[in-house]
Amino acid sequence: MGLKRCLAAVTALLTACVLVSCGAIEEGEHEVAIAGVFSGPTTDADYNALGAKALIDMESDEVKVAYSESIEVPDVERVIEEYVSDGYDIVWTHGSQFYAATTKVAARHPDVTFIGEFDGQPKDQPENVWVIDRNFHTVFYPLGILAAHLSQTGRVAYLGGLSLPFSYSEVHALEQAIADSGEDIQLSRVWTGDFNDTVRAQQAAAQLMSDGNDIIITSLNLGVVGAFQAVKQEDVGDAWITVKYTDKSANGPEHYAASVIYDFSEPLQKIVDQIQAGERSGYLALTFGEGTSVDVGDEVPAEAKAAVDDAVQRIESGELTVELDQSEVT
């Protein structure tokens, strides 16, 4: 089943999943019980929907799953503790903003295994915590290569939500890619202050294009819908947009340049298998072929697409290393 159909199926399964997966675990009921904690609604067709899909994919006669959605950072420690009290063997917190709380709870419950997310490889990782490195900087590098080969004005822009360390790493990766391309490209960087505000994203994208930027590289969640609305006001071929996490090309296929696609199902399965084999701590970086991929739009010229494919192949082979730089962008 393709990613679009899988994500669509998540919405249909949500109610049933909640009904069958709540409550304490009865002894001997399942071989393993896994809980997920999500920062937003699992119907967002974005980051949280990917988490819900990965968790639902795990469910079987031997594996019980449950999740909580739209959890704020101040509440996450309490939610994790509730799952521990209910007997869950593994608790996965989906989002690097939850990592500190996850390790704090993990220290109090050495018999429970936790899966947290981090941008990079953390120091002092607990012995009962697995880390998923989202590795955003690596997957954004090919987008910089794409922009450098696709731009006609020599001006491209990064449009983010909150100015956080992972976002800075994406910008620095784009800068590295543009420098490596040898093209004379100017990169603008703008943050709207909200990943989901469509109005702010539309206004920011419109302003960036009026300033001469013809490629908008987005790092947004629901806000990207607004960015598409702005880009679609330009003539086809004169403005392009890239997106993150899932294929959102339906918002404007003729202006769609590329997606960095994420899939947490296989990485989650791999980690749970390792946990069940006795490995209660580890590190897994998402990268091309393991949790991420780049999808280039059908309208993108062949020369630009080939440049992206070459960048991905060089990263996969180890020939190219994308530097992790989370320093503040000024």
Side-chain angles (χ1 to χ4, degrees):
M1 181 182 291
L3 181 61
K4 288 183 180 178
R5 292 172 62 193
C6 285
L7 288 174
V10 168
T11 302
L13 288 170
L14 290 178
T15 301
C17 181
V18 171
L19 289 174
V20 302
S21 2
C22 294
I25 305 301
E26 298 294 335
E27 186 175 355
E29 183 182 357
H30 296 84
E31 290 185 8
V32 63
I34 309 170
V37 181
F38 305 127
S39 62
T42 54
T43 54
D44 63 2
D46 199 76
Y47 194 72
N48 295 289
L50 291 173
K53 177 184 179 301
L55 199 61
I56 291 169
D57 285 349
M58 293 291 303
E59 192 168 28
S60 68
D61 291 340
E62 293 77 32
V63 180
K64 179 182 177 68
V65 302
Y67 63 83
S68 297
E69 59 187 303
S70 300
I71 302 301
E72 301 287 344
V73 171
D75 298 322
V76 68
E77 189 174 335
R78 170 187 56 79
V79 173
I80 298 171
E81 285 282 6
E82 289 174 354
Y83 281 121
V84 172
S85 297
D86 284 342
Y88 284 82
D89 309 287
I90 301 170
V91 180
W92 170 35
T93 52
H94 189 46
S96 63
Q97 70 270 40
F98 294 151
Y99 184 75
T102 302
T103 57
K104 187 176 179 181
V105 178
R108 297 196 292 262
H109 301 283
D111 294 334
V112 179
T113 305
F114 299 84
I115 304 171
E117 294 175 9
F118 201 78
D119 300 310
Q121 189 160 8
K123 298 179 180 179
D124 303 319
Q125 183 178 331
E127 295 182 354
N128 58 331
V129 174
W130 270 84
V131 168
I132 297 175
D133 181 354
R134 302 183 298 181
N135 206 16
F136 290 142
H137 65 294
T138 298
V139 299
F140 260 66
Y141 181 96
L143 297 184
I145 294 294
L146 174 65
H149 285 81
L150 194 56
S151 177
Q152 298 181 31
T153 65
R155 295 176 62 92
V156 304
Y158 171 92
L159 180 58
L162 295 174
S163 51
L164 298 172
F166 83 77
S167 184
Y168 298 148
S169 76
E170 293 172 344
V171 171
H172 290 305
L174 295 176
E175 292 171 340
Q176 180 184 342
I178 289 169
D180 290 350
S181 75
E183 302 290 336
D184 184 13
I185 300 291
Q186 179 179 339
L187 177 66
S188 299
R189 297 95 63 184
V190 172
W191 287 267
T192 67
D194 192 309
F195 291 108
N196 296 305
D197 191 315
T198 58
V199 174
R200 289 187 190 179
Q202 182 172 353
Q203 292 171 342
Q207 183 60 55
L208 286 167
M209 286 185 297
S210 71
D211 291 340
N213 298 283
D214 60 348
I215 315 291
I216 308 295
I217 300 169
T218 69
S219 182
L220 298 167
N221 299 120
L222 297 179
V224 78
V225 175
F228 262 104
Q229 292 301 315
V231 172
K232 287 194 298 184
Q233 302 307 309
E234 303 297 316
D235 291 338
V236 173
D238 288 346
W240 300 87
I241 186 170
T242 76
V243 300
K244 184 178 179 181
Y245 297 132
T246 61
D247 180 356
K248 303 175 179 71
S249 59
N251 289 286
E254 294 179 327
H255 292 83
Y256 165 74
S259 303
V260 285
I261 301 291
Y262 271 74
D263 183 353
F264 289 88
S265 293
E266 289 188 13
L268 183 63
Q269 181 68 66
K270 183 175 182 178
I271 290 173
V272 171
D273 288 346
Q274 293 281 347
I275 292 170
Q276 291 184 289
E279 296 291 334
R280 300 190 57 227
S281 180
Y283 167 84
L284 188 152
L286 302 182
T287 189
F288 302 115
E290 184 156 37
T292 68
S293 61
V294 177
D295 173 73
V296 179
D298 294 338
E299 304 301 320
V300 171
E303 183 270 338
K305 186 179 187 305
V308 171
D309 291 341
D310 177 68
V312 170
Q313 289 172 8
R314 288 189 293 127
I315 291 170
E316 285 184 313
S317 70
E319 176 187 348
L320 171 63
T321 298
V322 184
E323 298 179 8
L324 174 59
D325 183 354
Q326 296 181 333
S327 62
E328 185 174 356
V329 174
T330 57

